[in-house]
Amino acid sequence: MSDPQSSSLLDADAVSRGEALGLLARTVVEGYRVGEHRSPFKGFAIEFAQHREYTTGDDLRHLDWKILGRTDRHYIKQYEQDTNFVAHLLLDGSESMNYGSGSVSKLQYAKALAACLAHLVLVQRDAVALNLFDTEVRERLARTDNPGRIHHIMDRLAAFQATQKTAIASALGDLARQLKARGIVILISDLMAEDDEALATGLRQLRFGGSEVIVFHVLDPHEIEFPFTGTVEFEGLEGEPLIETQPASIRKSYLEAFTTWQRSVRSACDRAGCHYVLANTSHSLAETLSSYLAFRRKTTAR
Amino acid sequence: MNFLAPTFLLAVGAIALPVVIHLLSKTRVQRVRWAASRFLAAALQRNRRRLQLEDLLLLLLRCLIIAALAFAFARPVLPGGGFNFGSREATTAVLVIDHTASMCQSAGAETRFSQAKVAGRRLLEQLPSGSSAALFLAASHTVRAVPQPTLDLALVRRTLEAAKPSAENGDLFSGIKEAAELLHPLQGRRDVFVLTDNQSAAWRLREKIQALRDEFRETINLHVIPVGEQPEPNLAIVRLGIGSSVPAVGQPVRCEIEVKNFGAATAENIRLTLAVNQDAPLDETLLTRIEPGATATVALFATFATAGHHTLTATIPSDALAIDNQRALAVLAVDQLRALIIEGTPPVSATYRDGFFVANALAPVSAVETTRFYLRPSLATSAALDAATLAGTDLVVLANIPRLDTAASVALRTYIESGGALIVFPGPATDPDFYNTDPTFSALLPARLGSLSAPAQGGMLVSQGYTHPVSALWNDREMGDLGGVRLERFFPLTPLNPAVERGGTLLRLNDGTPVALTHQVGRGGVALFSTSATTEWSNLPVHSAFIPLIHRLVAHLTQRTDGALTLAPGDVFSLPVAVELTGKDFSVQRPGDTLGRRIAGRIEAAGETARLTFADTDTPGGYALFTGAESRPLVTFAVQVDPSESDLTSASLDTASPASDLKSPASNLNSTALAGPSRELWPWIAAFVFLLALFESALAHRFSREK
């Protein structure tokens, strides 16, 4: 039996919309079995792709004899091969994710988002791997393409509690080193790391390995709008000193700093060739997910 | 700077309020566990200095507003010219305000009394903290408006504001004396402040005031604070009197009016009017010129339509001192006066009898008109002198009466004392011993008779220099000449006392020997001539002055009983009335009261009789008192300003005047000590607070905008 709390992570609306749209690999992924996604390997089985000159060691079975006969040159025939992909869900489990102005904290929202994505991936016969991190990777679920494992994934998600500070850069670095094949890395985080440059570096490392990276930037509406009035004492979730102030008097400055940071994160994602998706916890999960997947379906070349 | 309500300065402590509110607001802090602290810290770091400055500025502004409010409530006063108290030691002070009529003088908008009130208020503001004060209004009656020194200076100030000027005369001595006696038993510093227009009349008793100052020199500081500048020129009606005869219905009554110029410049073209009962003027004249210090005497005529009490009012145009530009007189007009002429010897013929000339002088009209004439003489013998006959008689003339029996003498004395009038002419039949020695009759006479003799120096009457109101008319030669009267025989008169000789000499010979004397007996009056009422001993009965003389004398003697109808301001009017009026309300029509009568009191029982008492006589002019719905007044009376109050001449501070004597060395007083007006600052502070509040609101709004 799965934990009832874990089953609540699946948003029925989000899942149904997500299933309709699917999660297509935006770039070529190295799958380990045939799926819906293009493989980076040019094979010889199904669909011709191109010719290339023969080099020593090539299998002579793939030699194009007709061309050899006509031109006396040695060419090897190459074919495109569909494959499945591995989606690496990278979920930020730091304490800052515990903030939530409404009934849902950023972490809860992120867990639900991760569960939905995992479900979608498994449903379309792709594989999913889960990594929960804060200063380092705390939980790791090996990749699986068994849809029946979704409950296990959700249990692990539900059981996870945020207790530590964030160190996204090191988590991304670890993951980049561990990835043996290209796939899709889905980073779900508020990205409130101390070092924005390290984040950019981590993203570049992932991209360097050839993986597609999608960044779900989970933010609370109060963090975006800062609507507080009166005198408020802010207690940092990650050990920052207490700050007592009248938010109205610094709202403009705060929003400037926040927007600048958000813009720099987006810019870093863009520079690294990552998809940046703002996940505002005031919006429904279905809305966030479906809008991104629709965008993705539209922009993915087949 | 002084404060009218210094207690409110304690409220300055309320500037702690904004700080307390700020501290209290700390307890209402909302606590939030927050993820994006790094941006918050960055924003705060960027704005920290500005926020601190804004908070400090707002706090200062709010503290300033509260402090300014407390300051405004304390009512700070910025004195103009200050009174130098030498030290700030608290004092017990008595403010003595000159309350005499001269304080009503005004050069325009403000009377001297108003100026004294302003100076008094300023003085109260300048009293050192912790001082107490009392307030006296000094005139003929000293009004203790605030009878005991009180620390509640606001009460003194309010009482001072409510004080009204009066028309009383008097000087400052009694007020200063009462103030000094009040302060003498007290301890600590004591000051008496006299605020006066410094009119000479106010310092009539300067020696006494000087002695008082010397007596209390060691314990009490006496300060004189003059108010007003130079005395104003002033014209005043100083006398209004009945000049000719008895005021009778339908008879023109000669009213003598004296207008005096108290100013330094000649007064010209002064319109003088005379009115009865506040009606339109009946007569008027134009006084073309009155030299400085001179008095113009004029006669105007009034006629009374009905018998009873009336008021005559003479008026000149209003000037610096308005209350003496009008003078009233209460007059009792009669239908007819009945004169009983008692003859001492039987008549020889219709024309040769003792009372012939007197009877014809009293009623100088034809036989047909005699019954309608206001004086109705009848001739009788001494047998008619009984109480019943005298009760219906207004005037008794004794002509050549040798002596009277005791009953007649007693009846006559009772008659005179109760208000009757008597004229006595001796004659050949007169027994001087009886006149001089009879205990009852002699007590009625103003003089003793000497032996019958012929006057020295031809027996001529002096023609000028009379002071008696009856004969003063002939001081003006245009009115006739008494010098033509010659006596051949007479009983030299020896006045009973110098007062009678001084004030009662009606006629006198060239050598000064009195020919006729008058005096008062009880409520009545008596005139005694030294010669006969016939032409046997003098030509007086046939002289042209005899008729007016007799008429004026009758008027003088019969109106004497109405002397109580003329009061000084502040006097209490009291009149015995019929006992059946007891318990009835009476109403009054005051001078210038155009709205009609107002209920003024109730007639009270006084033993076996009843008495009407009315005390509100501050305003000069004619008063009419009525009972019930009667259209005719029960009585009228007049309140007249003392002519001495019309002389506005100042006692100069620069000369050896009483005021300069009273300048205490400790007082540092000068004549402009309180000249500058003090200013209350609270309206300005309130405006400042208002602007501060606006500024604070604008700043708070600006600071609360997003940054």
Side-chain angles (χ1 to χ4, degrees):
Chain A
M1 279 294 285
S2 63
D3 186 352
Q5 191 182 353
S6 63
S7 51
S8 69
L9 293 174
L10 278 180
D11 184 328
D13 190 23
V15 169
S16 65
R17 290 198 207 182
E19 283 177 350
L21 293 168
L23 182 68
L24 297 172
R26 188 167 64 88
T27 56
V28 178
V29 292
E30 291 180 35
Y32 60 98
R33 62 173 228 197
V34 176
E36 292 183 18
H37 313 285
R38 286 180 298 172
S39 169
F41 303 110
K42 304 301 178 193
F44 311 94
I46 302 168
E47 191 172 342
F48 175 77
Q50 63 184 356
H51 286 98
R52 74 168 169 81
E53 281 192 80
Y54 170 82
T55 58
T56 305
D58 285 340
D59 192 345
L60 291 175
R61 287 181 297 174
H62 300 306
L63 196 66
D64 192 333
W65 296 103
K66 291 180 180 176
I67 291 178
L68 179 65
R70 284 201 297 268
T71 63
D72 201 20
R73 290 189 179 189
H74 298 88
Y75 283 94
I76 295 294
K77 290 173 71 174
Q78 288 188 315
Y79 301 86
E80 280 195 345
Q81 186 178 24
D82 279 351
T83 184
N84 62 350
F85 71 86
V86 180
H88 298 275
L89 291 171
L90 201 55
L91 179 63
D92 183 355
S94 65
E95 277 193 300
S96 64
M97 292 290 283
N98 278 333
Y99 179 70
S101 60
S103 58
V104 179
S105 69
K106 290 189 286 184
L107 184 60
Q108 287 169 323
Y109 194 89
K111 283 177 176 179
L113 180 60
C116 290
L117 285 169
H119 178 79
L120 289 175
V121 169
L122 290 174
V123 162
Q124 63 185 35
R125 290 176 296 135
D126 291 317
V128 67
L130 178 65
N131 295 278
L132 293 163
F133 73 93
D134 41 50
T135 53
E136 58 188 44
V137 176
R138 297 283 173 195
E139 296 268 358
R140 186 190 303 277
L141 264 75
R143 71 182 186 186
T144 176
D145 55 2
N146 181 1
R149 295 284 288 169
I150 186 66
H151 295 294
H152 181 62
I153 293 171
M154 288 194 295
D155 286 344
R156 297 293 289 273
L157 282 171
F160 184 78
Q161 296 296 324
T163 56
Q164 299 288 326
K165 290 185 178 180
T166 318
I168 297 174
S170 63
L172 292 180
D174 286 350
L175 186 67
R177 280 189 295 276
Q178 290 165 12
L179 284 180
K180 294 187 174 62
R182 287 180 289 180
I184 301 177
V185 176
I186 302 174
L187 174 62
I188 306 172
S189 170
D190 59 6
L191 303 177
M192 289 192 183
E194 292 164 357
D195 189 351
D196 294 336
E197 190 53 41
L199 169 69
T201 306
L203 291 174
R204 278 199 303 273
Q205 283 178 340
L206 283 175
R207 287 293 295 150
F208 186 74
S211 297
E212 179 188 354
V213 179
I214 305 167
V215 177
F216 281 95
H217 194 184
V218 184
L219 290 174
D220 188 272
H222 278 203
E223 291 172 334
I224 298 170
E225 297 162 5
F226 202 58
F228 300 99
T229 55
T231 303
V232 181
E233 188 178 67
F234 294 96
E235 179 187 2
L237 284 168
E238 295 187 1
E240 295 94 342
L242 286 174
I243 296 173
E244 184 184 304
T245 186
Q246 291 176 319
S249 62
I250 59 167
R251 183 166 183 265
K252 199 171 178 181
S253 295
Y254 168 87
L255 291 178
E256 277 177 11
F258 189 82
T259 309
T260 303
W261 166 75
Q262 198 180 359
R263 206 177 293 130
S264 74
V265 168
R266 185 170 200 140
S267 170
C269 291
D270 289 345
R271 282 199 306 275
C274 307
H275 268 176
Y276 174 89
V277 183
L278 176 62
N280 188 330
T281 60
S282 66
H283 299 167
S284 72
L285 200 56
E287 185 185 338
T288 303
L289 204 53
S290 62
S291 62
Y292 171 66
L293 292 178
F295 160 77
R296 185 179 175 81
R297 188 181 189 88
K298 211 178 339 179
T299 56
T300 300
R302 175 76 187 175
Chain B
M1 180 182 296
N2 288 310
F3 296 91
L4 300 184
T7 314
F8 278 100
L9 286 177
L10 296 175
V12 173
I15 60 171
L17 271 178
V19 180
V20 171
I21 290 171
H22 174 72
L23 292 175
L24 283 177
S25 68
K26 293 272 189 189
T27 63
R28 294 197 299 272
V29 171
Q30 179 188 359
R31 190 161 187 152
V32 171
R33 301 188 76 230
W34 185 248
S37 292
R38 53 182 286 205
F39 311 109
L40 197 58
L44 201 61
Q45 185 64 35
R46 192 195 297 177
N47 293 286
R48 184 184 303 279
R49 192 168 185 80
R50 178 184 59 80
L51 288 174
Q52 284 176 343
L53 280 174
E54 286 176 359
D55 284 350
L56 188 64
L57 184 58
L58 284 178
L59 182 69
L60 284 176
L61 271 177
R62 288 162 188 171
C63 291
L64 186 60
I65 286 171
I66 289 176
L69 269 179
F71 200 62
F73 274 106
R75 297 183 64 190
V77 173
L78 201 62
F83 186 86
N84 186 1
F85 282 89
S87 73
R88 299 308 294 170
E89 181 192 354
T91 183
T92 305
V94 179
L95 271 64
V96 179
I97 310 285
D98 188 343
H99 204 218
T100 57
S102 66
M103 292 289 279
C104 295
Q105 67 174 302
S106 164
E110 265 194 329
T111 63
R112 295 284 194 270
F113 192 72
S114 299
Q115 291 175 331
K117 283 163 70 170
V118 171
R121 190 173 67 238
R122 203 152 54 241
L123 188 62
L124 288 171
E125 291 164 359
Q126 294 170 6
L127 286 178
S129 180
S131 297
S132 56
L135 177 66
F136 288 5
L137 305 175
S140 54
H141 311 87
T142 299
V143 178
R144 295 189 173 205
V146 178
Q148 295 293 330
T150 173
L151 288 168
D152 186 359
L153 297 185
L155 169 70
V156 182
R157 195 165 53 249
R158 285 198 301 276
T159 310
L160 181 62
E161 290 299 324
K164 290 186 166 59
S166 87
E168 291 186 35
N169 68 331
D171 55 64
L172 297 166
F173 171 68
S174 62
I176 295 172
K177 182 170 183 284
E178 289 186 33
E181 288 172 349
L182 175 69
L183 292 179
H184 183 60
L186 304 179
Q187 299 296 319
R189 178 174 175 164
R190 285 152 282 176
D191 293 279
V192 174
F193 297 96
V194 183
L195 292 98
T196 174
D197 62 352
N198 213 22
Q199 185 211 15
S200 298
W203 299 103
R204 274 187 292 245
L205 300 176
R206 66 185 70 180
E207 292 80 10
K208 286 187 173 183
I209 296 174
Q210 183 69 41
L212 197 66
R213 199 277 305 262
D214 293 341
E215 181 184 349
F216 294 109
R217 181 188 294 275
E218 299 302 319
T219 54
I220 298 170
N221 302 313
L222 186 57
H223 314 277
V224 179
I225 300 173
V227 294
E229 302 295 330
Q230 294 299 316
E232 308 298 331
N234 185 39
L235 277 178
I237 301 174
V238 293
R239 195 176 82 81
L240 168 62
I242 300 296
S244 59
S245 57
V246 175
V249 173
Q251 294 292 324
V253 177
R254 176 191 167 94
C255 301
E256 292 179 350
I257 305 165
E258 290 180 9
V259 179
K260 186 169 183 179
N261 181 4
F262 289 97
T266 303
E268 293 179 337
N269 300 325
I270 305 122
R271 181 171 178 256
L272 173 65
T273 62
L274 182 68
V276 176
N277 299 336
Q278 300 185 23
D279 294 333
L282 286 177
D283 197 4
E284 67 175 64
T285 188
L286 196 67
L287 304 174
T288 53
R289 190 178 178 87
I290 306 177
E291 298 297 332
T295 302
T297 304
V298 293
L300 295 180
F301 289 86
T303 307
F304 301 102
T306 58
H309 289 277
H310 298 274
T311 53
L312 284 170
T313 306
T315 308
I316 57 174
S318 189
D319 59 14
L321 186 61
I323 58 172
D324 63 6
N325 298 137
Q326 201 171 60
R327 198 170 187 85
L329 183 70
V331 176
L332 177 60
V334 295
D335 265 332
Q336 217 165 35
L337 281 182
R338 285 152 298 181
L340 183 64
I341 303 169
I342 307 295
E343 294 175 310
T345 54
V348 176
S349 66
T351 57
Y352 195 75
R353 54 191 300 171
D354 294 331
F356 174 77
F357 291 102
V358 175
N360 280 285
L362 286 171
V365 291
S366 64
V368 177
E369 293 174 329
T370 302
T371 52
R372 294 199 302 272
F373 194 65
Y374 78 97
L375 275 171
R376 191 168 183 184
S378 60
L379 296 163
T381 63
S382 59
L385 288 178
D386 55 51
T389 307
L390 292 175
T393 301
D394 297 300
L395 170 69
V396 174
V397 180
L398 300 181
N400 197 22
I401 295 294
R403 56 175 51 235
L404 294 174
D405 58 36
T406 306
S409 296
V410 170
L412 193 59
R413 180 171 181 171
T414 305
Y415 162 74
I416 299 296
E417 287 178 342
S418 62
L422 174 66
I423 301 174
V424 180
F425 285 97
T430 296
D431 177 5
D433 288 340
F434 170 77
Y435 278 59
N436 294 336
T437 57
D438 181 76
T440 306
F441 187 72
S442 66
L444 297 176
L445 301 179
R448 298 289 171 259
L449 301 185
S451 302
L452 183 64
S453 55
Q457 300 180 10
M460 303 288 283
L461 285 187
V462 67
S463 59
Q464 298 282 309
Y466 289 107
T467 56
H468 197 282
V470 171
S471 52
L473 173 73
W474 285 279
N475 291 334
D476 182 357
R477 287 190 179 278
E478 291 183 3
M479 294 295 125
D481 186 8
L482 290 175
V485 178
R486 173 177 290 183
L487 273 60
E488 292 180 354
R489 298 178 72 79
F490 76 131
F491 289 106
L493 300 178
T494 307
L496 283 182
N497 53 56
V500 169
E501 184 177 13
R502 194 167 52 248
T505 302
L506 176 62
L507 298 172
R508 65 174 183 271
L509 293 175
N510 278 333
D511 59 1
T513 307
V515 172
L517 292 164
T518 63
H519 79 152
Q520 190 171 354
V521 178
R523 291 173 54 203
V526 177
L528 174 63
F529 284 79
S530 63
T531 189
S532 65
T534 62
T535 53
E536 269 184 276
W537 289 357
S538 81
N539 65 348
L540 177 62
V542 295
H543 193 272
S544 60
F546 188 62
I547 292 176
L549 178 69
I550 290 296
H551 279 250
R552 290 172 67 85
L553 184 56
V554 169
H556 176 71
L557 295 177
T558 54
Q559 288 289 310
R560 178 186 293 278
T561 53
D562 295 332
L565 299 180
T566 301
L567 278 69
D571 285 353
V572 176
F573 177 73
S574 182
L575 182 75
V577 294
V579 71
E580 55 268 24
L581 293 176
T582 304
K584 284 193 171 181
D585 288 339
F586 65 92
S587 54
V588 62
Q589 187 169 17
R590 295 165 54 84
D593 210 346
T594 54
L595 297 177
R597 317 172 194 172
R598 285 178 295 175
I599 294 294
R602 182 166 292 178
I603 295 171
E604 306 286 349
E608 295 179 353
T609 62
R611 184 164 286 276
L612 180 153
T613 306
F614 180 74
D616 187 13
T617 59
D618 292 334
T619 309
Y623 291 71
L625 301 178
F626 301 80
T627 54
E630 293 286 336
S631 60
R632 290 188 178 185
L634 175 68
V635 66
T636 60
F637 66 91
V639 174
Q640 296 182 347
V641 179
D642 192 304
S644 67
E645 289 298 321
S646 300
D647 184 0
L648 304 179
T649 310
S650 288
S652 170
L653 285 174
D654 300 326
T655 61
S657 70
S660 62
D661 289 344
L662 286 167
K663 282 166 65 182
S664 162
S667 72
N668 293 322
L669 179 70
N670 58 62
S671 59
T672 58
L674 297 171
S678 65
R679 284 182 301 162
E680 282 205 40
L681 297 180
W682 72 263
W684 297 100
I685 299 173
F688 177 62
V689 168
F690 179 70
L691 290 176
L692 273 186
L694 282 181
F695 185 52
E696 192 271 345
S697 300
L699 273 188
H701 181 259
R702 182 185 176 83
F703 292 166
S704 66
R705 285 193 304 194
E706 293 167 2
K707 297 181 179 70

